[in-house]
Amino acid sequence: MKITVPHDVKAIIEKLEACGFSAYAVGGCIRDSLMGKQPHDWDICTSAKPEEILGALGTHNIIESGLKHGTVTVKVNEQLYEITTFRSEGEYRDNRRPESVKFITSLKEDLSRRDFTVNAMAYNSSEGLCDYFGGESDIGNMIIRCVGDPDKRFTEDALRIMRALRFASKLGFEIEENTKSALRRNAHLLKKISVERITAELVQILDGEFAEQILLDYTDVLGVFLPEILPMVGLEQRNPHHSYDVWTHTVYVIVNSPHGKVMRLAALLHDIAKPRCFTIDEKGTGHFHGHPEVGAKLSGKILRRLHLDNDTIAKVGTLIRYHDQRPKLEPKYVRRLISKTGIDCFEPLMELKRADAKGQNPQTIPPKLEYIDELEKMFHELTSDGNEFNIRSLKLTGSDLIDLGIGEGKEIGYYLNEMLEMVIEGKISNDRNALIAEVRRRIKDTGGWK
Ligand code: ATP
Ligand code: MG
């Protein structure tokens, strides 16, 4: 496989070489190129020390922020390139970071500190591919293998455990046996890794094209920081709608969901409360009453612990809370659901419901999908004018009510809710004049709101 280095990367490498240093494209870009994929960024490694890199490239277009870590970031044609001096790492502390970093001149030694063989290759046009650890052959055989002793590499930096799962989930590679057993042996060290780093990797693992096998095979590893998923494993649902235990079902829902952080996290956690809501009736049928509401709350707790942003937490909570709602296909029931989810969450909710159906008893899937299609169609019809069936989208405002002589805050709230209720029920259209006339009629008929 030929590696095509972009013109600007080649120019950076040549400038460094012209000053007597060696320089290579390295890491993920070489892996992706060898796989015939377009790399999303190009990293460069060099024997030049940071100040020597600045000397060779000039100080313009340098982004200062990485300099203190010994990485020079340069901007060429709006693209950022990280240029890192060859380095060896000292003893590790906290199972994450080396105590010290030493600049060195050997490419091989620099590559030996990298995590996996597929990520430990370098290339430049004068020397070709530099592959000291069998990365090219591991790519051919689709294998993730640690460079060196896997136990040592995972204890040095336990985040590599998550990176191994991430690459396996994204690339569809198998984790090599020794790497796999060391990964499990050291999984407990994930407790020491900063939660932001764990979460960033988790989101990518869930999003991988090959997530299914990873989620099924490494549930115990994820359980180190997500213990709530462990009781889902093997929990048989004893219900004609379901053919799989709760965790297997969940994995199918994840991989049938659209890509993206919100959808995949919602799928992961949509049934998180099933183990604690499980009951069996006198006929031996399993039920999970209340699991969407309990699950929505529990998901908030889990996602806050994982330091997810508030917007994601709110959206995931809404999706989980309403994932099991099946309103009758009549406008008033559908309007009520829209009033709860809002317009923005409704289609994601339909996507979650489709994925959820696809993870259930295969015989029940087609009618469930047909129902969801109908529900979505009705949603589009009902919201074509932007009406969300909440107080905000009601064409009657507090100041309209004040103009009608209603002064008290509570009374204003009462009328707004009453009118919204009538709009949802289809007893009145969301039209300002009609709503004002209705309020007038009520004041006249009843003499007030109490
Ligand atoms: P991606 O395509 O996701 O960017 P990548 O392989 O480029 O994948 P980066 O996180 O950008 O991953 O890291 C760049 C390179 O740095 C890796 O290819 C690997 O050689 C090395 N590396 C990154 N993180 C680690 C780590 N925790 N331990 C050892 N080497 C690492
Ligand atoms: Mg990268």
Side-chain angles (χ1 to χ4, degrees), residues 162-179:
M162 293 297 280
R163 287 175 58 87
L165 300 187
R166 189 239 292 184
F167 289 118
S169 172
K170 291 240 156 188
L171 307 176
F173 285 19
E174 281 277 331
I175 300 175
E176 178 272 333
E177 280 309 316
N178 292 324
T179 299

Side-chain angles (χ1 to χ4, degrees), residues 70-90:
T71 296
V72 174
T73 304
V74 59
K75 191 175 187 179
V76 186
N77 291 324
E78 294 310 303
Q79 195 70 43
L80 295 177
Y81 299 100
E82 281 197 354
I83 308 170
T84 306
T85 308
F86 296 155
R87 59 188 52 197
S88 69
E89 294 172 344

